[in-house]
Amino acid sequence: MKTGAIILAAGRQKDAELFQPLQKIDGVTTIRRLIVTLKHSCVSPIVVVTGEQGDALEKEIGRMDVICLRNSDYEKMQMFESIQMGLRYIERLCDRIIILPAKFSLLLPKTISKLLNSTAKAACPTFEGRRGHPVLIDKALFPILDAYSGDGGLRAAMELPQIAPYTEEIPVEDTGIIHALDTEEGFSLAKQRATLPTYCTVNLSFHREESFFQSETARFLQLIAHSGSMQTACKQLHISYSKGWKIIKTAESFLGFPLISTQSGGTSGGSSSLTTNGKIFLDKFLRIEEQLNETAEQLFHELFSDETTK
């Protein structure tokens, strides 16, 4: 079962505190810390919804193999609308999702692991009977969240009769699920948890006389497929349009078939999509990559001490 994540990092200018995703703890920003914690548990894909200080935030995490979605109306929108924005993007990419605000970056990897072990349609961690972040939602409930327009945000949505009866509460010994970085308790906890967990990933690439298709190429194709625009995909990866074309043409020259098809003009200014061969090739590449990462993670935990991987 593939589990993705939506990190809410849009921010709102009316908030008085420091913009939390870019706040540093022992030299590491909040947003990087949270992404590392999720990657430690093999959560992928990770979608980060940005808004305030979007350029700086996306630059900070641009090489961390995540998808950034810019919410340009973050000042007018509620946090739940950012959740829905991320949900619509990620819904076809995974079987369930973890949803959490960036300021709750202090949770422990073992908390994520406990959530991932749940077989319920929805799950949330509790500390001493108190619910916290993040929540885990099965794809069967995605349409319900997407259609919700009431007050109270995610907390109220979780109480809907279509969701509440299927929600499992998972007790954890982790105060990070209830203490955000914009509180005194959260700041104190941050000092205690300065050390990030160590995790293992595999960077897959295909070669002939040179490398022509890598994990980064696969992410690029995924973005094109789901945005319908190579230009949008380039912006999300913070690369130039010319570099994007070079990546595609290099891969196509070695593979011997086109990966994408483009259509110029129209009211939307043109579009891009994957060819049939491109979809098949990308799917096979991602399956190899996923299985390699699962094996690598297993070997990592077998061969290295618990002290290293905690």
Side-chain angles (χ1 to χ4, degrees), residues 246-259:
K246 183 178 180 180
I247 291 171
I248 296 298
K249 291 303 179 184
T250 297
E252 289 179 340
S253 67
F254 282 97
L255 292 171
F257 55 80
L259 290 168

Side-chain angles (χ1 to χ4, degrees), residues 82-99:
S82 287
I83 293 175
Q84 292 172 317
M85 178 181 178
L87 183 62
R88 289 164 195 153
Y89 190 92
I90 203 174
E91 60 181 345
R92 292 172 292 177
L93 302 179
C94 53
D95 302 303
R96 54 185 185 172
I97 54 170
I98 287 172
I99 304 174

Side-chain angles (χ1 to χ4, degrees), residues 139-156:
K139 65 180 179 181
L141 303 179
F142 290 0
I144 298 170
L145 290 181
D146 189 35
Y148 181 68
S149 59
D151 296 327
L154 182 60
R155 184 181 296 275

Side-chain angles (χ1 to χ4, degrees), residues 20-204:
Q20 301 302 328
L22 292 174
Q23 181 179 352
K24 289 188 176 182
I25 304 170
D26 196 30
V28 180
T29 56
T30 297
I31 191 66
R32 293 184 74 90
R33 179 175 297 275
L34 188 49
I35 292 170
V36 167
T37 299
L38 290 170
K39 284 181 174 290
H40 180 270
S41 299
C42 298
V43 173
S44 178
I46 298 172
V47 169
V48 182
V49 182
T50 68
E52 184 181 356
Q53 297 188 34
D55 288 337
L57 183 56
E58 290 169 16
K59 183 178 180 180
E60 170 69 14
I61 60 178
R63 296 184 178 276
M64 296 193 73
D65 190 21
V66 298
I67 299 167
C68 293
L69 295 183
R70 182 73 68 90
N71 181 356
S72 57
D73 294 324
Y74 68 91
E75 289 184 285
K76 302 175 183 177
M77 295 172 68
Q78 299 297 318
M79 184 178 72
F80 191 75
E81 292 176 283
S82 287
I83 293 175
Q84 292 172 317
M85 178 181 178
L87 183 62
R88 289 164 195 153
Y89 190 92
I90 203 174
E91 60 181 345
R92 292 172 292 177
L93 302 179
C94 53
D95 302 303
R96 54 185 185 172
I97 54 170
I98 287 172
I99 304 174
L100 69 167
K103 64 182 181 180
F104 285 91
S105 65
L106 302 174
L107 71 163
L108 297 170
K110 62 183 180 182
T111 295
I112 298 293
S113 296
K114 283 190 175 183
L115 275 179
L116 296 183
N117 286 333
S118 173
T119 58
K121 291 188 180 297
C124 64
T126 63
F127 178 76
E128 295 181 348
R130 179 179 172 185
R131 284 191 177 187
H133 293 278
V135 298
L136 179 68
I137 301 291
D138 185 87
K139 65 180 179 181
L141 303 179
F142 290 0
I144 298 170
L145 290 181
D146 189 35
Y148 181 68
S149 59
D151 296 327
L154 182 60
R155 184 181 296 275
M158 294 293 290
E159 296 301 324
L160 290 171
Q162 305 98 311
I163 297 179
Y166 306 102
T167 302
E168 178 185 8
E169 292 188 343
I170 301 176
V172 297
E173 294 299 319
D174 182 5
T175 58
I177 70 167
I178 58 175
H179 292 317
L181 272 173
D182 56 358
T183 65
E184 184 177 342
E185 295 89 347
F187 187 73
S188 176
L189 186 61
K191 293 180 179 179
Q192 302 171 32
R193 298 186 178 179
T195 302
L196 287 169
T198 302
Y199 67 102
C200 176
T201 61
V202 173
N203 293 314
L204 176 63

